[in-house]
Amino acid sequence: SKITLTVIKADIGGYVGHCSVHPELIEEANRVLEENGKGLLEDYVVTHVGDDVNLIMTHRKGVDNPEIHKLAWDTFLSCTQIAKRLKLYGAGQDLLSDSFSGNIKGMGPGVAEMEFEERPSEPLIVFMADKTEPGAWNLPLYKMFADPFNTIGLVIDPKMHQGFKFEVLDTMENKKIVFSCPEELYDLLVFLGASNRYAVKAVYSKSGEPAAVSSTQRMNLMAGRYVGKDDPVLVVRCQSGFPAVGEALEPFANPHLVAGWMRGSHFGPLMPVSCKGATPSRFDGPPRVTALGFQLAGGKLVGPQDMFADVSFDRARQKALEMADYLRQLGPFEPHRLPLDEMEYTTLPQVMEKLKDRFE
Ligand code: 13P
Ligand code: 13P
Ligand code: MG
Ligand code: MG
Ligand code: MG
């Protein structure tokens, strides 16, 4: 039977500020998944990037399964109790609803899941980001699945040569469209380049096999107020018709600018880090991405391998820090600070009100 990989994440309280997750929350999440996941989960791994707790789960229930979603929701609720006791920052921050109603989507936590037939060897990577938004995956996904200068497999692997299909979500209108690449590359890029609004939800092989899936909810649109950034996750299947592991990691060797960072209102470089290095502290950043590699074996998560811990990403980190130095000098000026209409909150209305009689 098919296996489903479900990654569900939420910020349920920061330690300290928005920097990291308290070890007691990780312990509690492990405990709840161990106890309540019996007979439901094949396997699970609990981890964190910055202040976001990530539940990586395998099971045979398919996507959008109410039992699996409820398990994640209950886990976060349970952790929130601890976060409240420890008075962690923004305890329960991403849990926007009071009661669970069958599907965790639209309730605050981010969800990325895919169902597939486990191959004879099934390497996959779970990417997790903090201090940024779902559109942060647009550029790396384009490179992984559509750019031959990143992914040589598109040129020399007969199983990849026909290209991939990109499912793109308009996060404002909540509509999606599928582009077939390479035929529609230029159309695709019109949208992917506008990563504040459009986000790649999934990538499929031309025969319809799921290759990648991301979490694309826009929490601030749901909540109608500032509740931090969405801090998205992304799952990528690798090898044998999909990008090699190294091709999936390669886009992160050159940090790109993403929206997020301090107060969700600044552009900054997406810095690839080890799990240990995923504690954004300078100006609450810069934004981070971790990559956990697994080999699936009969539904079991063999791993994780901490992919960005490797020395080959040291220069990317160095470059990201240099970019951060440069951008920070701009202080409250664009293009470090986001344009007015993209900022998560602003004092503009109040300041305008106060000064309105002085505009002539
Ligand atoms: P190995 O010879 O180390 O298995 O490498 C194969 C490969 O294709 C790497 O991309
Ligand atoms: P988080 O979304 O990671 O909680 O970040 C919020 C923030 O305002 C950081 O400065
Ligand atoms: Mg937070
Ligand atoms: Mg976060
Ligand atoms: Mg957040």
Side-chain angles (χ1 to χ4, degrees), residues 9 11 18 51-52 93-94 130-132 219 227-231:
K9 50 83 41 187
D11 177 342
H18 292 286
D51 57 4
D52 292 272
Q93 174 176 292
D94 287 357
D130 188 35
K131 304 295 178 271
T132 188
M219 220 163 18
V227 282
K229 276 290 182 199
D230 299 299
D231 308 322

PDB file of all heavy atoms in Angstrom, residues 9 11 18 51-52 93-94 130-132 219 227-231, ligand 5:
ATOM      1  N   LYS A   9       3.876  21.759  10.963  1.00  0.00           N
ATOM      2  CA  LYS A   9       4.727  22.585  11.828  1.00  0.00           C
ATOM      3  C   LYS A   9       3.958  23.764  12.408  1.00  0.00           C
ATOM      4  O   LYS A   9       2.976  24.244  11.829  1.00  0.00           O
ATOM      5  CB  LYS A   9       5.959  23.060  11.068  1.00  0.00           C
ATOM      6  CG  LYS A   9       5.752  23.700   9.720  1.00  0.00           C
ATOM      7  CD  LYS A   9       5.402  25.143   9.688  1.00  0.00           C
ATOM      8  CE  LYS A   9       6.160  26.010  10.666  1.00  0.00           C
ATOM      9  NZ  LYS A   9       5.563  27.393  10.629  1.00  0.00           N
ATOM     10  N   ASP A  11       4.645  27.291  15.326  1.00  0.00           N
ATOM     11  CA  ASP A  11       5.350  28.041  16.376  1.00  0.00           C
ATOM     12  C   ASP A  11       4.398  28.058  17.568  1.00  0.00           C
ATOM     13  O   ASP A  11       3.327  28.647  17.495  1.00  0.00           O
ATOM     14  CB  ASP A  11       5.639  29.451  15.862  1.00  0.00           C
ATOM     15  CG  ASP A  11       6.317  30.344  16.896  1.00  0.00           C
ATOM     16  OD1 ASP A  11       6.276  30.020  18.105  1.00  0.00           O
ATOM     17  OD2 ASP A  11       6.867  31.388  16.479  1.00  0.00           O
ATOM     18  N   HIS A  18      11.981  34.884  19.637  1.00  0.00           N
ATOM     19  CA  HIS A  18      11.605  34.059  18.484  1.00  0.00           C
ATOM     20  C   HIS A  18      12.776  33.188  18.027  1.00  0.00           C
ATOM     21  O   HIS A  18      12.855  32.817  16.861  1.00  0.00           O
ATOM     22  CB  HIS A  18      11.155  34.951  17.325  1.00  0.00           C
ATOM     23  CG  HIS A  18       9.868  35.666  17.561  1.00  0.00           C
ATOM     24  ND1 HIS A  18       8.646  35.026  17.516  1.00  0.00           N
ATOM     25  CD2 HIS A  18       9.611  36.966  17.863  1.00  0.00           C
ATOM     26  CE1 HIS A  18       7.684  35.903  17.752  1.00  0.00           C
ATOM     27  NE2 HIS A  18       8.245  37.092  17.979  1.00  0.00           N
ATOM     28  N   ASP A  51      12.128  28.925  15.988  1.00  0.00           N
ATOM     29  CA  ASP A  51      11.080  28.752  17.000  1.00  0.00           C
ATOM     30  C   ASP A  51       9.922  27.881  16.520  1.00  0.00           C
ATOM     31  O   ASP A  51       8.851  27.878  17.131  1.00  0.00           O
ATOM     32  CB  ASP A  51      10.560  30.124  17.452  1.00  0.00           C
ATOM     33  CG  ASP A  51      10.027  30.961  16.300  1.00  0.00           C
ATOM     34  OD1 ASP A  51       9.991  30.462  15.157  1.00  0.00           O
ATOM     35  OD2 ASP A  51       9.662  32.120  16.548  1.00  0.00           O
ATOM     36  N   ASP A  52      10.126  27.149  15.426  1.00  0.00           N
ATOM     37  CA  ASP A  52       9.052  26.312  14.880  1.00  0.00           C
ATOM     38  C   ASP A  52       9.287  24.826  15.137  1.00  0.00           C
ATOM     39  O   ASP A  52      10.351  24.298  14.826  1.00  0.00           O
ATOM     40  CB  ASP A  52       8.920  26.567  13.377  1.00  0.00           C
ATOM     41  CG  ASP A  52       8.389  27.965  13.098  1.00  0.00           C
ATOM     42  OD1 ASP A  52       7.163  28.119  13.047  1.00  0.00           O
ATOM     43  OD2 ASP A  52       9.217  28.903  12.982  1.00  0.00           O
ATOM     44  N   GLN A  93       1.300  30.684  19.557  1.00  0.00           N
ATOM     45  CA  GLN A  93       1.280  31.734  18.514  1.00  0.00           C
ATOM     46  C   GLN A  93       0.573  31.325  17.217  1.00  0.00           C
ATOM     47  O   GLN A  93      -0.240  32.070  16.693  1.00  0.00           O
ATOM     48  CB  GLN A  93       2.726  32.156  18.204  1.00  0.00           C
ATOM     49  CG  GLN A  93       2.889  33.135  17.046  1.00  0.00           C
ATOM     50  CD  GLN A  93       4.333  33.587  16.868  1.00  0.00           C
ATOM     51  OE1 GLN A  93       4.874  34.286  17.711  1.00  0.00           O
ATOM     52  NE2 GLN A  93       4.966  33.184  15.770  1.00  0.00           N
ATOM     53  N   ASP A  94       0.891  30.131  16.706  1.00  0.00           N
ATOM     54  CA  ASP A  94       0.365  29.737  15.392  1.00  0.00           C
ATOM     55  C   ASP A  94      -0.952  28.968  15.462  1.00  0.00           C
ATOM     56  O   ASP A  94      -1.477  28.559  14.427  1.00  0.00           O
ATOM     57  CB  ASP A  94       1.390  28.873  14.639  1.00  0.00           C
ATOM     58  CG  ASP A  94       2.575  29.688  14.136  1.00  0.00           C
ATOM     59  OD1 ASP A  94       2.579  30.911  14.323  1.00  0.00           O
ATOM     60  OD2 ASP A  94       3.498  29.077  13.557  1.00  0.00           O
ATOM     61  N   ASP A 130      12.813  29.131   8.777  1.00  0.00           N
ATOM     62  CA  ASP A 130      12.275  30.032   9.801  1.00  0.00           C
ATOM     63  C   ASP A 130      12.583  31.467   9.416  1.00  0.00           C
ATOM     64  O   ASP A 130      13.595  31.751   8.777  1.00  0.00           O
ATOM     65  CB  ASP A 130      12.880  29.717  11.169  1.00  0.00           C
ATOM     66  CG  ASP A 130      12.175  30.510  12.278  1.00  0.00           C
ATOM     67  OD1 ASP A 130      10.955  30.726  12.174  1.00  0.00           O
ATOM     68  OD2 ASP A 130      12.856  30.917  13.249  1.00  0.00           O
ATOM     69  N   LYS A 131      11.670  32.364   9.823  1.00  0.00           N
ATOM     70  CA  LYS A 131      11.759  33.801   9.543  1.00  0.00           C
ATOM     71  C   LYS A 131      11.586  34.112   8.066  1.00  0.00           C
ATOM     72  O   LYS A 131      12.220  35.012   7.520  1.00  0.00           O
ATOM     73  CB  LYS A 131      13.096  34.384  10.055  1.00  0.00           C
ATOM     74  CG  LYS A 131      13.354  34.135  11.537  1.00  0.00           C
ATOM     75  CD  LYS A 131      12.371  34.825  12.457  1.00  0.00           C
ATOM     76  CE  LYS A 131      12.664  34.501  13.916  1.00  0.00           C
ATOM     77  NZ  LYS A 131      11.950  33.267  14.363  1.00  0.00           N
ATOM     78  N   THR A 132      10.688  33.378   7.421  1.00  0.00           N
ATOM     79  CA  THR A 132      10.348  33.704   6.047  1.00  0.00           C
ATOM     80  C   THR A 132       8.983  33.137   5.678  1.00  0.00           C
ATOM     81  O   THR A 132       8.253  32.635   6.536  1.00  0.00           O
ATOM     82  CB  THR A 132      11.448  33.260   5.069  1.00  0.00           C
ATOM     83  OG1 THR A 132      11.144  33.767   3.771  1.00  0.00           O
ATOM     84  CG2 THR A 132      11.577  31.748   5.013  1.00  0.00           C
ATOM     85  N   MET A 219      -0.706  32.820   7.002  1.00  0.00           N
ATOM     86  CA  MET A 219      -1.321  32.942   8.317  1.00  0.00           C
ATOM     87  C   MET A 219      -1.910  34.320   8.578  1.00  0.00           C
ATOM     88  O   MET A 219      -2.959  34.457   9.176  1.00  0.00           O
ATOM     89  CB  MET A 219      -0.275  32.649   9.378  1.00  0.00           C
ATOM     90  CG  MET A 219      -0.838  31.859  10.495  1.00  0.00           C
ATOM     91  SD  MET A 219       0.404  31.088  11.484  1.00  0.00           S
ATOM     92  CE  MET A 219       1.880  31.931  11.104  1.00  0.00           C
ATOM     93  N   VAL A 227       0.853  37.632  13.122  1.00  0.00           N
ATOM     94  CA  VAL A 227       1.116  36.465  13.977  1.00  0.00           C
ATOM     95  C   VAL A 227       2.442  35.824  13.572  1.00  0.00           C
ATOM     96  O   VAL A 227       2.605  34.615  13.651  1.00  0.00           O
ATOM     97  CB  VAL A 227      -0.022  35.420  13.894  1.00  0.00           C
ATOM     98  CG1 VAL A 227      -1.207  35.840  14.729  1.00  0.00           C
ATOM     99  CG2 VAL A 227      -0.451  35.186  12.449  1.00  0.00           C
ATOM    100  N   GLY A 228       3.385  36.653  13.148  1.00  0.00           N
ATOM    101  CA  GLY A 228       4.668  36.116  12.730  1.00  0.00           C
ATOM    102  C   GLY A 228       4.608  35.643  11.288  1.00  0.00           C
ATOM    103  O   GLY A 228       3.573  35.739  10.639  1.00  0.00           O
ATOM    104  N   LYS A 229       5.740  35.148  10.804  1.00  0.00           N
ATOM    105  CA  LYS A 229       5.784  34.643   9.433  1.00  0.00           C
ATOM    106  C   LYS A 229       5.367  33.176   9.411  1.00  0.00           C
ATOM    107  O   LYS A 229       5.306  32.516  10.448  1.00  0.00           O
ATOM    108  CB  LYS A 229       7.196  34.803   8.874  1.00  0.00           C
ATOM    109  CG  LYS A 229       7.453  36.195   8.311  1.00  0.00           C
ATOM    110  CD  LYS A 229       6.677  36.456   7.026  1.00  0.00           C
ATOM    111  CE  LYS A 229       7.021  37.843   6.475  1.00  0.00           C
ATOM    112  NZ  LYS A 229       6.023  38.348   5.526  1.00  0.00           N
ATOM    113  N   ASP A 230       5.122  32.671   8.199  1.00  0.00           N
ATOM    114  CA  ASP A 230       4.609  31.306   8.077  1.00  0.00           C
ATOM    115  C   ASP A 230       5.685  30.246   8.241  1.00  0.00           C
ATOM    116  O   ASP A 230       5.391  29.124   8.615  1.00  0.00           O
ATOM    117  CB  ASP A 230       3.920  31.157   6.730  1.00  0.00           C
ATOM    118  CG  ASP A 230       2.765  32.125   6.624  1.00  0.00           C
ATOM    119  OD1 ASP A 230       1.852  32.015   7.447  1.00  0.00           O
ATOM    120  OD2 ASP A 230       2.802  33.001   5.759  1.00  0.00           O
ATOM    121  N   ASP A 231       6.934  30.633   7.949  1.00  0.00           N
ATOM    122  CA  ASP A 231       8.044  29.717   8.204  1.00  0.00           C
ATOM    123  C   ASP A 231       7.775  28.339   7.584  1.00  0.00           C
ATOM    124  O   ASP A 231       7.498  27.360   8.283  1.00  0.00           O
ATOM    125  CB  ASP A 231       8.307  29.627   9.711  1.00  0.00           C
ATOM    126  CG  ASP A 231       8.464  31.002  10.330  1.00  0.00           C
ATOM    127  OD1 ASP A 231       9.061  31.878   9.686  1.00  0.00           O
ATOM    128  OD2 ASP A 231       7.965  31.219  11.442  1.00  0.00           O
TER     129      ASP A 231
HETATM  130 MG    MG B   5       6.233  32.149  12.341  1.00  0.00          MG
END
